[in-house]
Amino acid sequence: MANNKYKIGTIGSHSALQILRGAKDEGFETVVFCKKNMTPVYKSFGVADEIIEIKDYSEVFEQCSDNIIMIPHGSFIEHIEKLKEMKGLYYGNKEILDWESDRNQERKWLSNAGIKLPKIFQNASEIDRPVIVKFHGAQGGKGYFLARDEQDFKTKIADHPDKKYQLQEYIIGVPMYIHYFYSVIHEELEVLGFDKRYESNVDSIGRISARDQMALKSVDPSYVVVGNIPLVIRESLLGNVFDMGHKVIKESRKITKNGLFGPFCLEGVLTPEQEFYIFEISARIVAGTNPYISGSPYSYVKYKEEMSTGRRIAREIKQAIEKDRLSEIIN
Ligand code: AMP
Ligand code: AMP
């Protein structure tokens, strides 16, 4: 069987359980590169045929080999330079990484695709409404803060010298993360699910009365993601969801040679007017797909079997191998 020649590998964190389970379900042998304290985790769940211990994630890129197809996820992005240089087999389009990891490039991509984005303020003096201050790079919301005006921003940014940031209009609505998959083999855009994040401490501030919040002067909202909550959206919004996905794919083919494919996620806020404002794109599997390791309502409707995003990746790879088209999806 073609699968025997290739193993599927990833870093042991983020969505590795899902990726490895999916790979095994599609008949692949699996390898996980993890830190020592995570070895018992992958042993216990039995999804890794091989566990390779590393001291730092960056070592992974030196240990890749020609028979392990590496599936990127959130833990790879912090080592983007090494990732770009990585030898061995990488699932996805490395060219897109530069667009994903820089907030200004990302914004260019999305706005040229015709996606609605929160307003950006280039200078603090332009701030005329509440803003969310975001640092560059995938940090899972760490360190973000809200500022109501210029003065408030100046006071708060003093705690973060030398950091690159973006000043974004704060959109009032509900956060929503859309999990897409674009299949190169079937030339088709799929919607596999949605999630919302569980963020500390912003998701619990509401448990304290306004009076007590005032009393606790040091409580500022923070957006550190610690988990994900599954979500099903109003069906009439799905037309818009597919439309945004198609636009992003179309534009990605203008900015890079092979465009975006495989799993990706549009991350935004849905307003009471039912408008999506997208503030970020992740061009890879997101951890918000983890609640759906045994499939989401949407993937069940389409596949009538347990189809996670991790398994969908493995199936695409399997079909590419069978059709001798692996080079189209491997960098
Ligand atoms: P980790 O491997 O957990 O250190 O995470 C790597 C990156 O992915 C970090 O930027 C995290 O903030 C992000 N991340 C990890 N888990 C989640 C999650 N459940 N939802 C969203 N982002 C996450
Ligand atoms: P991110 O790390 O970019 O996914 O953002 C982390 C969290 O910050 C999101 O889940 C939202 O709760 C919130 N957020 C980010 N950008 C905005 C925005 N422009 N307006 C409102 N909330 C936002």
Side-chain angles (χ1 to χ4, degrees), residues 103 106 117-120 130-135 137-142 144 146 167-177 196-199 202-203 222-225 267-269 277-282:
R103 288 198 187 279
E106 181 182 44
L117 305 166
K119 188 175 160 65
I120 296 292
V131 290
I132 181 163
V133 183
K134 297 183 166 187
F135 299 107
Q139 299 174 322
K142 197 170 169 210
Y144 291 0
L146 295 187
L167 298 174
Q168 235 177 53
E169 169 188 19
Y170 187 80
I171 306 289
I172 307 287
V174 288
M176 188 164 297
Y177 292 71
K196 65 177 204 160
R197 291 179 172 181
Y198 199 38
E199 292 164 343
V202 73
D203 285 321
S222 59
Y223 298 83
V224 178
V225 61
E267 314 182 353
V269 171
Y277 282 81
I278 301 297
F279 48 71
E280 201 165 331
I281 182 167
S282 290

Side-chain angles (χ1 to χ4, degrees), residues 256-272:
T256 65
K257 192 160 150 267
N258 295 321
L260 174 64
F261 58 84
F264 68 101
C265 177
L266 287 181
E267 314 182 353
V269 171
L270 190 51
T271 69

Side-chain angles (χ1 to χ4, degrees), residues 95-110:
E95 261 189 279
I96 221 86
L97 292 170
D98 283 333
W99 290 84
E100 179 196 1
S101 60
D102 181 306
R103 288 198 187 279
N104 299 323
Q105 293 288 91
E106 181 182 44
R107 191 172 171 84
K108 223 187 277 173
W109 170 12
L110 295 177

Side-chain angles (χ1 to χ4, degrees), residues 4 8 29 46 71 78 80 86-87 108 124 144 162 176 190 214 239 253 256 259 294 318 323:
N4 288 343
I8 284 190
E29 273 189 43
I71 312 297
E78 286 162 33
I80 195 158
M86 167 192 135
K87 298 209 173 50
K108 223 187 277 173
Y144 291 0
D162 308 324
M176 188 164 297
E190 302 170 19
M214 301 285 277
R253 293 179 180 156
T256 65
S294 57
K318 185 165 93 177
K323 293 176 193 302

